[in-house]
Amino acid sequence: MSKNWLKSEKGITLLSLTVYIIIMFLVVGIVATVSNFFYGNINVVRDSAKYASEFDKFNSSLISDIKENKHVNTNNDEKTIIFEDGTTYKYNVEDEGLYRGKNKIASHVKYFTVTSKTITISNVNKEIITVHIIIGDSSKSLLDKQIDYTLRYW
């Protein structure tokens, strides 16, 4: 009789319990890794949206001035754009801000360059401003744009 209760197949064996525990740890590890990447990327997306709004403020302001002016002076050494109507854009390296006149229109600007050139197409001179701007706080969430703007020529 004592041999019958040892051969009982009720319950689980030590080997199957070990396999269940290993599988459970693998599943928990995979879920933890995926959630860590997910929350890390959520922070990058949140910061990118913040910096995109900084760029949008600068871009919309610059476009409205470009539509109203035919000529511009740029100085990449001083990081300035001066339109014919007197409107001035200036990059301040110390506070990482971009100013239109005295108003700060973008912050967290890490890099800003501006150049201008004139091209002739079908006997019409077109003045083009090239702006390269980098906005952000870390290398993961930088907004890096280089855009050519064409001044009014008509």
Side-chain angles (χ1 to χ4, degrees), residues 98-151:
L98 204 66
Y99 292 84
R100 181 180 186 263
K102 294 182 180 180
N103 299 324
K104 190 174 191 177
I105 57 172
S107 56
H108 304 288
V109 178
K110 299 295 180 196
Y111 180 80
F112 181 80
T113 60
V114 59
T115 57
S116 65
K117 63 183 175 185
T118 302
I119 61 170
T120 303
I121 299 175
S122 301
N123 295 326
V124 175
N125 289 333
K126 296 182 180 183
E127 197 163 353
I128 298 174
I129 301 173
T130 301
V131 174
H132 186 196
I133 186 169
I134 300 175
I135 302 175
D137 282 334
S138 69
S139 62
K140 287 184 177 179
S141 59
L142 291 177
L143 180 75
D144 188 347
K145 299 275 187 180
Q146 181 168 338
I147 301 178
D148 292 334
Y149 298 93
T150 304
L151 271 71

Side-chain angles (χ1 to χ4, degrees), residues 6-48:
L6 287 177
K7 292 183 179 181
S8 173
E9 294 186 19
K10 294 179 182 176
I12 59 171
T13 64
L14 186 58
L15 179 63
S16 62
L17 178 64
T18 306
V19 169
Y20 295 147
I21 290 174
I22 290 172
I23 291 172
M24 183 182 71
F25 276 118
L26 287 173
V27 169
V28 169
I30 291 170
V31 168
T33 303
V34 169
S35 67
N36 186 30
F37 284 128
F38 175 77
Y39 287 112
N41 288 336
I42 288 292
N43 291 334
V44 169
V45 169
R46 183 192 67 227
D47 291 343
S48 296

Side-chain angles (χ1 to χ4, degrees), residues 39-89:
Y39 287 112
N41 288 336
I42 288 292
N43 291 334
V44 169
V45 169
R46 183 192 67 227
D47 291 343
S48 296
K50 179 175 102 176
Y51 301 133
S53 69
E54 294 292 321
F55 174 76
D56 288 344
K57 289 188 289 185
F58 162 72
N59 192 41
S60 64
S61 179
L62 186 64
I63 287 174
S64 68
D65 288 324
I66 284 174
K67 286 182 179 179
E68 296 177 10
N69 291 280
K70 290 185 178 183
H71 300 290
V72 67
N73 292 321
T74 61
N75 186 333
N76 197 34
D77 295 332
E78 294 181 13
K79 311 287 187 197
T80 58
I81 304 170
I82 302 171
F83 289 98
E84 66 182 342
D85 66 359
T87 305
T88 303
Y89 289 81

